Amino acid sequence: MTGSLVEAGEADLDRIRRWRNHPSVRRVSFTTHEIGAEEHRGWFEAVRADPSRRVLVYRHGGVPAGVVLFSDIDTEAGSAEWHFYLDVEGLGPETLPAWLKLEGAAVDYGFDVLGLSLLGGATLADNRQVLQLHRRFGFTETRRYVREVDGEPREVVWTELRAADRRTRKKR
């Protein structure tokens, strides 16, 4: 399944920003303002220069359709944090199948390519669909905390998946 994820390149920059600036994506993000071209370019260059971060483009049916971000990649500890978002406008009725395949591809990439033993991520508590998707893939909630988003306190759910639990789930 990892074949559906490829390193993001210059040609992906505008589409990634367009997807990230979609109102439904911004609404469930920790940074909700509309991102300008200069800010986006700076972010992309910082990611590419940082070995503890990766930005990958998810291809659905061979067409760019989403982004998977890995950060805080710690090869010694075997852990990383991950996030994702989709081209919700372009996918239309393919959004749910793309979500499922993207999550599977991201989990496979984290454990099989990056060699992680633990993959974790933060999700706003009111983003129930994504939390449900994570549970479906075996992620478990390990803590809740409050984080400020646009000056307002928001509840955040941290979920994790361990490689050993993934192997068990895949065998079922």
Side-chain angles (χ1 to χ4, degrees), residues 17 31 33-45:
R17 185 168 70 92
T31 305
H33 70 275
E34 193 161 329
I35 296 169
E38 192 173 308
E39 179 183 1
H40 187 63
R41 160 90 34 215
W43 166 81
F44 187 66
E45 288 175 4

Side-chain angles (χ1 to χ4, degrees), residues 28-164:
V28 295
S29 297
F30 294 105
T31 305
T32 62
H33 70 275
E34 193 161 329
I35 296 169
E38 192 173 308
E39 179 183 1
H40 187 63
R41 160 90 34 215
W43 166 81
F44 187 66
E45 288 175 4
V47 168
R48 291 177 87 180
D50 184 346
S52 75
R53 296 163 69 185
R54 299 265 172 89
V55 59
L56 306 166
V57 172
Y58 166 72
R59 296 183 181 276
H60 186 72
V63 176
V67 176
V68 175
L69 307 157
F70 288 95
S71 61
D72 299 323
I73 300 169
D74 184 336
T75 53
E76 285 186 34
S79 64
E81 182 173 342
W82 79 293
H83 307 275
F84 74 93
Y85 51 90
L86 290 165
D87 176 12
V88 292
E89 191 170 304
L91 283 164
E94 282 295 303
T95 300
L96 181 57
W99 255 5
L100 292 167
K101 290 179 182 176
L102 178 146
E103 182 131 353
V107 167
D108 287 349
Y109 188 93
F111 292 119
D112 299 340
V113 177
L114 296 178
L116 302 176
S117 56
L118 178 69
L119 183 58
T123 306
L124 292 172
D126 58 3
N127 193 349
R128 289 180 179 89
Q129 290 177 312
V130 168
L131 290 170
Q132 183 178 17
L133 179 65
H134 292 339
R135 280 192 296 275
R136 181 176 179 161
F137 276 83
F139 284 82
T140 57
E141 178 181 328
T142 60
R143 68 184 184 273
R144 287 179 179 245
Y145 56 95
V146 175
R147 177 175 170 178
E148 197 171 287
V149 177
D150 294 337
E152 298 292 324
R154 302 282 302 273
E155 187 177 24
V156 177
V157 177
W158 181 264
T159 57
E160 295 179 345
L161 178 62
R162 297 188 177 283

